[in-house]
Amino acid sequence: MSEEAPEEGEASQCCLTAPGAPAPPACCEKLPCARIGEKWCQCFPSLERHRFHLMTGLLVLQILVIIPACIAIVGLVRDKQLTFAAWAVEDIDGKNGYSDFHLFIGLRGMYVRGGPVGRTSWTWTEAKKYVPDGKKDNLNSCKHAASDTISTVILGLFTVFPSAATIYARIKPETDTGCQKFLGIMSGCMGCYTTLNSLGTFLQDCYQGLPTRYEYDGVTVGEGSKEIGAGAICESLVAGVALITAFFHLILPVPEKKEPLMPPSETTENPL
């Protein structure tokens, strides 16, 4: 005996509580969240005709965003790789006979090139030795803000792959479902929010308070300026792609699935 489809009133609970209910995604397709954005879809009626090209382009964009996501992750090191993946950069003009030097700030410390120490890596604690007393607490705030950003940066890279799988599933109408659309919207929105939230924390609690004057043995060795580095810019690109992905998932309609026609049953005539 075939299983009966859940009643309309049971749709909201069938995925979790209804006994004998069909397994997801067949059941979850009846949930309101699976039909999210239907009114938006009506504003872009031509999208369905360009589904293949639209979603293929979005898939290529999702794959390309791996590059800036990897650059942002390089900010975890404290070596010379920070010269192209720093989250913040300081150009310091030498004072009192000291040469100019550059600081490349990452998420776990900084890399110094030039000046009184030559080429070396600093942890946040080591950097305090060269910072005026009034700015030492700023490095503590920077340490905590950067540490809170690390998990989001790593997660941002690994969520690219399930997001790409969701896009791939929606390229063809026959493999598109309301659940795939909902997952694409939610993953894009959540990815954008968490990334921008962590990036904002870094910029406010770390970048804004970075000192631009350094001392060595009580003598000012340099003053300069700071700017946002490639790592932070790349992380903002990751957030932007996540938002674009969520938007196109929202406006692309889910094709109506036609129920297969059952062949007419054969009737046998009564010879009597």
Side-chain angles (χ1 to χ4, degrees), residues 1-4 20:
M1 180 181 295
S2 60
E3 296 180 351
E4 296 182 359

Side-chain angles (χ1 to χ4, degrees), residues 23-265:
C27 175
C28 292
E29 287 298 307
K30 295 181 177 295
L31 294 176
C33 62
R35 313 304 302 179
I36 190 172
E38 286 185 336
K39 293 183 179 180
W40 283 78
C41 298
Q42 296 173 4
C43 299
F44 305 93
S46 63
L47 281 181
E48 183 59 41
R49 298 197 303 267
H50 304 287
R51 168 187 291 270
F52 178 81
H53 297 93
L54 172 66
M55 298 309 287
T56 300
L58 197 60
L59 180 61
V60 172
L61 181 63
Q62 194 70 30
I63 294 174
L64 290 178
V65 82
I66 294 176
I67 299 174
C70 289
I71 293 176
I73 283 185
V74 176
L76 294 174
V77 304
R78 290 194 303 267
D79 208 339
K80 60 182 179 180
Q81 288 81 6
L82 271 181
T83 55
F84 71 88
W87 281 57
V89 179
E90 292 188 343
D91 296 322
I92 307 299
D93 297 327
K95 302 289 184 180
N96 298 318
Y98 289 97
S99 61
D100 299 345
F101 58 100
H102 308 276
L103 288 89
F104 304 92
I105 292 89
L107 300 178
R108 296 176 59 242
M110 58 187 73
Y111 177 73
V112 187
R113 186 173 64 189
V117 294
R119 297 172 181 262
T120 187
S121 300
W122 285 346
T123 64
W124 300 113
T125 302
E126 292 170 340
K128 291 181 183 180
K129 302 176 184 178
Y130 304 91
V131 173
D133 292 338
K135 294 290 185 177
K136 293 184 186 296
D137 289 340
N138 291 13
L139 287 185
N140 287 330
S141 299
C142 197
K143 176 182 178 180
H144 295 308
S147 298
D148 293 341
T149 307
I150 292 176
S151 58
T152 304
V153 173
I154 297 175
L155 187 62
L157 174 61
F158 287 100
T159 54
V160 169
F161 302 101
S163 180
T166 302
I167 297 172
Y168 181 78
R170 300 200 67 198
I171 289 180
K172 297 181 180 180
E174 56 269 23
T175 58
D176 190 10
T177 64
C179 285
Q180 294 286 359
K181 176 176 182 174
F182 176 71
L183 289 175
I185 296 172
M186 287 302 298
S187 62
C189 291
M190 290 301 296
C192 178
Y193 170 77
T194 55
T195 301
L196 289 180
N197 184 57
S198 295
L199 183 60
T201 299
F202 175 84
L203 294 178
Q204 181 177 354
D205 296 342
C206 181
Y207 178 78
Q208 294 294 338
L210 282 174
T212 54
R213 184 169 69 88
Y214 291 87
E215 298 178 348
Y216 185 69
D217 288 338
V219 179
T220 300
V221 297
E223 294 185 42
S225 60
K226 58 188 175 182
E227 61 183 17
I228 297 174
I233 295 174
C234 287
E235 190 68 1
S236 65
L237 292 177
V238 174
V241 171
L243 185 61
I244 292 172
T245 301
F247 174 73
F248 280 107
H249 274 301
L250 176 66
I251 65 176
L252 183 66
V254 177
E256 295 292 337
K257 297 294 191 298
K258 296 181 179 180
E259 295 293 335
L261 297 176
M262 299 298 293
S265 59

